[in-house]
Amino acid sequence: MRSVALSPENRQAALDAMASTPLDILVIGGGVVGGGAALDAATRGLTVGLVEARDFASGTSSRSSKLMHGGLRYLEMLDFRLVAEALKERGLSLQKLAPHLVHEVGFIYPLTHRVWERFYAGSGVALYDAMSKASGYGQDVPLHRHLTRRGARRLMPALKKDALIGALHYYDGQVDDARHTMFLSRTAAAYGAHVASRTRVIDLLRDGDRVVGARVKDLESGREFDILAKQVVNASGVWTDETQSFAGQRGQFHVRASKGVHLVVPRDRIRGESGLILRTEKSVLFVIPWGRHWIIGTTDTDWSLSKDHPAASRSDIDYLLEHVNSVLVEPLTHEDVEGVYAGLRPLLAGEDEATSKLSREHAVGTSVKGLVVIAGGKYTTYRVMAKDAVDAAVHGMTTQLDRHAPASVTEDVPLLGADGYQALWNQRHMIAKSSGLGVGRIEHLLHRYGSLIGELLDLIAEQPDLGKPLTGADDYLRAEISYAASHEGARHLDDAIARRTRISIETFDRGTDVAVEVAGLMGDVLGWTEAQRDNEVDHYLKRVAAERESQTMPDDETADAARMGAEDVVPVSTQPSTGDAS
């Protein structure tokens, strides 16, 4: 499959195309489900557009636990169908769809009761493995094993001796959620979808009782225009109810936002080689290896405040530290925390049990002609959710199509970067030698770009200075920032520092030290004036300051008020001489 760049020129062409030519399907929302739906529709031969109000994955899809997992705890709830579905999707992503972005990760499950717990938990994990193998896509995932206390502490010396009497060790999948979501939209574009971020839906268009498109606003230029479509798919996650309200009718279900907070700490703060899964009084707590870091999460609390800026409070951070410290020999403190991120899970809240139940299951609604609403679900099952949404859209426009729409084929459509990835991984030492980069650096690039690594290396060959690491964030090369702006749809500093890379949560300064350098690199690609570069840096610094302040507040209300101190979107300046793009 040929690579397509999500460049500024591509974005403008997509906007022009959507404004001038009616679509079969318009997808609202550039998260994992929206990107998946655009890819599903495009690979069925339908004309499709995707609009996202902010950046790809800027909401829930960049703020998850970064796991592609079957949901081991759902076995305890006897939700076998959900687990089986998720395990199949996990295996598909690991083996076929995105092997460059999804990788195996091991977890220790500590046991604290003798005999019965090992049998009970061991039976559950054995069933988990069996269901994975039965899916047809779990052959390469290692089977679980039982560990003694000594064996568990050999893997995780950080564990207190009295925190367990033994353990189980099992495997799941890990994903860089923001990059995976961006790759979905980019792959959809490669198959002909018109894709545009920073394009907000401000109303739905009606023809009688039918939705026939949307009115949108290009937040970069201020231009407003209509997009006509036979079907509109609302995949806006926690914003589902707000988007649905444009249709002027109540939907079949509602979405409740549940806040999940995660901490990031340096790898040397917890001695060990495996992830951890711990039971809490509310749910489970994960300690997940993440490169040179650990991710610790998550919380699960109702959130009814700003959906644009979910804020972590000091009480959220205290909760996570308290629970993880209960099993660690050397407790973590607030000073050990490099990064904090808060996301909102879109949980179904049905008006009655027949409609839906509050869960991680998804639902598709078509209460208004021409409008399909998809909500709920979990990251791992995004492809199934996308397929179901497009199936409903195709059903709704059967009489409008002059041809038969094929069934979904995304089970066999790898994302860009997947084809040839394994061969390049095998050749990584040769690539390192020919490129002049270290083997570790090449492995880093392969895990982020897969077989598109050649595009990065070509960029470095043309501009050798781009082969240097970023000052203050040396896990990433300067080329990765330029490439984010030229090929991956990054429009603003936040896009590059928080989502194309993870500098915002992987450095103690939260990316402020590298902001000027990143603005310079992005500005060279996007044609920013000095005033625009200064404005981008100023906005990013204010965002970080607001987040830091929110994380000192005692509760959600005060944290939300503090986080609202920084605006979300920086429009491109059209008056360079003023130095003000707001």
Side-chain angles (χ1 to χ4, degrees), residues 329-561:
V329 173
E330 300 175 19
L332 299 171
T333 68
H334 283 266
E335 286 66 38
D336 293 317
V337 176
E338 287 177 291
V340 181
Y341 63 94
L344 300 177
R345 305 178 191 90
L347 302 182
L348 290 175
E351 293 187 6
D352 57 63
E353 198 67 20
T355 303
S356 63
K357 60 184 177 180
L358 202 61
S359 74
R360 302 309 301 275
E361 296 178 16
H362 69 271
V364 177
T366 54
S367 59
V368 180
K369 292 180 181 178
L371 177 65
V372 173
V373 181
I374 176 77
K378 52 185 289 188
Y379 194 104
T380 307
T381 56
Y382 80 88
R383 193 193 65 82
V384 178
M385 295 174 66
K387 170 187 174 297
D388 290 349
V390 177
D391 281 346
V394 167
H395 179 75
M397 61 179 176
T398 302
T399 59
Q400 298 171 286
L401 283 175
D402 56 4
R403 63 195 184 285
H404 174 72
S408 174
V409 296
T410 51
E411 189 171 324
D412 297 308
V413 178
L415 302 191
L416 289 175
D419 283 338
Y421 162 74
Q422 190 59 56
L424 291 173
W425 180 259
N426 295 341
Q427 296 176 336
R428 62 193 183 278
H429 293 277
M430 298 168 57
I431 297 172
K433 186 176 181 180
S434 63
S435 68
L437 299 174
V439 175
R441 185 71 71 179
I442 294 299
E443 291 177 351
H444 159 94
L445 294 175
L446 283 169
H447 280 158
R448 288 170 49 75
Y449 304 93
S451 56
L452 299 186
I453 188 176
E455 296 181 354
L456 264 292
L457 298 179
D458 288 346
L459 194 59
I460 293 170
E462 294 170 9
Q463 303 178 60
D465 185 61
L466 295 180
K468 297 177 181 178
L470 289 167
T471 305
D474 58 6
D475 280 352
Y476 300 95
L477 298 178
R478 288 165 55 84
E480 297 185 71
I481 301 298
S482 294
Y483 188 82
S486 63
H487 286 70
E488 296 181 341
R491 301 284 303 172
H492 297 284
L493 222 56
D494 196 45
D495 302 345
I497 298 178
R499 286 175 290 279
R500 302 307 181 276
T501 69
R502 290 314 181 94
I503 297 169
S504 66
I505 59 171
E506 293 176 348
T507 58
F508 280 104
D509 62 80
R510 310 282 175 95
T512 57
D513 287 357
V514 80
V516 171
E517 184 177 4
V518 171
L521 291 164
M522 293 187 71
D524 289 345
V525 175
L526 300 176
W528 289 346
T529 64
E530 284 299 318
Q532 288 171 305
R533 297 181 199 215
D534 291 345
N535 195 45
E536 288 282 340
V537 172
D538 181 63
H539 169 268
Y540 186 77
L541 297 182
K542 287 178 178 176
R543 194 211 85 163
V544 172
E547 285 190 347
R548 284 190 183 278
E549 183 182 1
S550 72
Q551 291 156 20
T552 68
M553 295 298 165
D555 52 42
D556 284 351
E557 287 72 19
T558 53
D560 177 67

Side-chain angles (χ1 to χ4, degrees), residues 201-318:
V201 171
I202 56 177
D203 203 0
L204 292 176
L205 305 177
R206 301 285 294 269
D207 183 4
D209 63 350
R210 187 179 190 88
V211 171
V212 294
R215 184 156 187 84
V216 302
K217 181 176 182 177
D218 175 2
L219 297 181
E220 302 285 67
S221 68
R223 169 193 176 200
E224 295 183 9
F225 59 93
D226 293 340
I227 301 176
L228 299 178
K230 296 182 178 72
Q231 291 279 309
V232 174
V233 173
N234 176 10
S236 53
V238 293
W239 290 273
T240 295
D241 291 356
E242 287 83 349
T243 308
Q244 193 170 245
S245 70
F246 289 139
Q249 295 186 23
R250 295 177 63 185
Q252 292 171 275
F253 48 81
H254 299 284
V255 173
R256 175 175 73 80
S258 169
K259 184 178 71 168
V261 174
H262 295 78
L263 311 180
V264 181
V265 302
R267 193 66 178 264
D268 63 4
R269 300 306 196 271
I270 302 175
R271 292 183 300 132
E273 302 172 17
S274 173
L276 287 173
I277 178 172
L278 308 170
R279 281 185 176 273
T280 72
E281 66 276 12
K282 297 178 181 178
S283 181
V284 295
L285 185 75
F286 286 104
V287 180
I288 308 164
W290 179 255
R292 295 198 296 162
H293 317 269
W294 297 96
I295 293 174
I296 302 169
T298 177
T299 62
D300 186 1
T301 55
D302 284 338
W303 180 264
S304 58
L305 302 169
S306 169
K307 293 185 175 72
D308 291 337
H309 305 285
S313 67
R314 186 176 182 92
S315 62
D316 293 322
I317 298 171
D318 288 342

